[in-house]
Amino acid sequence: MLCFLVFATLVICGHSTQDFPETNARVVGGAEAQRNSWPSQISLQYSSGGSWSHTCGGTLIKRNWVLTAAHCVDNSQLTFRVVVGDHNLNQNDGTEQYVSVQKIVVHSNWNSNNVAAGYDIALLRLAQSVTLNSYVQLGVLPQEGTILANDTPCYITGWGRTKTNGQVSQTLQQAYLPTVDYATCSKSSYWGSTVKQTMVCAGGDGVRSGCQGDSGGPLHCLVNGQYSVHGVTSFVSSLGCNVSKKPTVFTRVSAYISWINNVIASN
């Protein structure tokens, strides 16, 4: 993964007309979410030097299962935990539950050296089931195979950089990112062949986007009057987070419903 990120940096320095995907997306151009308005959102954290640090987002889909991105858990040497019911990472809100990660299941086709191939999806089995309440709820997954219409209203949420190379946000942010359909997103002036039909593009207005650290978190889309989790935040442009015509790219959850069900049933 480090080689890939270094390569992406070289692209910025040497060939600015080219573009490559950069993982670890966070919210740019958004606003602070209303406290606990996205109760399926989790913070994935790792242990380092005796303290815990936020690294990615995710979605609680069962009381003991979390959906996130494969690239978030590439480093299997780390010790991870999941925090549900959180809003401000720097203070105790009194609503948090902290649970260790017992098992990590990464999609077998994931290749950390080729994020553009897709399959950037993973499931985390928690050591114990969390308690559901008004602050902690399960995310609603879409029907298998669902393809969103162009300009479907969606929100990305996460804790993270609020601008390219900016500061990490301590409170949960949200940004309105309407979908960009595959026919548009795969145009050469957008992502071209980098984007696949197993992905969802959203945003691309040059103002609002994901950015380093929202990775693995949800794209909540309004369909038939209900918000459901249609995307897992995967990558943004290596040229910057909020680049015009470079929408934030998500793993399309509806393409992996069978995989999700099979993993949970067999574990």
Side-chain angles (χ1 to χ4, degrees):
M1 193 62 194
L2 287 176
C3 294
F4 178 77
L5 295 181
V6 168
F7 175 61
T9 303
L10 291 175
V11 170
I12 295 174
C13 298
H15 301 89
S16 62
T17 58
Q18 295 189 26
D19 204 357
F20 290 85
E22 173 79 272
T23 52
N24 291 321
R26 295 197 186 197
V27 175
V28 173
E32 182 174 346
Q34 185 177 340
R35 188 178 294 268
N36 304 113
S37 57
W38 305 104
S40 65
Q41 170 87 45
I42 68 96
S43 168
L44 179 63
Q45 304 181 354
Y46 66 94
S47 177
S48 177
S51 61
W52 292 93
S53 299
H54 171 85
T55 182
C56 277
T59 303
L60 186 71
I61 60 170
K62 299 282 186 184
R63 288 179 61 211
N64 63 332
W65 283 96
V66 162
L67 178 67
T68 191
H71 76 261
C72 287
V73 289
D74 270 340
N75 190 342
S76 59
Q77 305 305 310
L78 294 177
T79 298
F80 291 104
R81 75 175 183 183
V82 162
V83 185
V84 299
D86 209 349
H87 180 72
N88 188 322
L89 296 177
N90 270 5
Q91 67 184 39
N92 188 337
D93 299 313
T95 56
E96 303 93 340
Q97 298 175 51
Y98 304 89
V99 190
S100 58
V101 173
Q102 188 176 69
K103 185 173 185 178
I104 298 171
V105 183
V106 173
H107 197 287
S108 59
N109 290 334
W110 164 248
N111 178 356
S112 60
N113 295 312
N114 186 15
V115 65
Y119 306 104
D120 191 7
I121 191 168
L123 286 166
L124 313 178
R125 189 178 71 188
L126 305 182
Q128 62 201 59
S129 294
V130 303
T131 300
L132 301 182
N133 52 41
S134 57
Y135 307 101
V136 180
Q137 292 289 319
L138 303 181
V140 177
L141 300 187
Q143 283 193 310
E144 187 166 17
T146 300
I147 303 292
L148 295 172
N150 191 60
D151 213 31
T152 298
C154 301
Y155 283 88
I156 184 177
T157 54
W159 293 272
R161 299 184 194 277
T162 52
K163 63 179 180 179
T164 302
N165 299 322
Q167 296 297 309
V168 170
S169 174
Q170 296 308 314
T171 56
L172 185 67
Q173 302 289 301
Q174 66 179 46
Y176 179 67
L177 292 188
T179 58
V180 178
D181 63 14
Y182 176 76
T184 302
C185 199
S186 59
K187 289 180 177 179
S188 58
S189 58
Y190 280 72
W191 274 110
S193 61
T194 299
V195 71
K196 307 298 186 291
Q197 294 198 50
T198 55
M199 302 173 183
V200 174
C201 299
D205 64 358
V207 178
R208 294 164 294 193
S209 73
C211 195
Q212 281 70 36
D214 283 327
S215 286
L219 180 71
H220 320 259
C221 298
L222 185 60
V223 179
N224 297 325
Q226 181 182 44
Y227 279 103
S228 45
V229 178
H230 280 264
V232 174
T233 309
S234 184
F235 62 85
V236 291
S237 169
S238 63
L239 302 178
C241 296
N242 50 326
V243 177
S244 181
K245 293 189 176 181
K246 287 294 184 288
T248 305
V249 182
F250 303 80
T251 302
R252 178 166 65 85
V253 174
S254 67
Y256 295 93
I257 297 298
S258 292
W259 179 80
I260 291 169
N261 292 337
N262 289 338
V263 168
I264 291 175
S266 59
N267 286 279

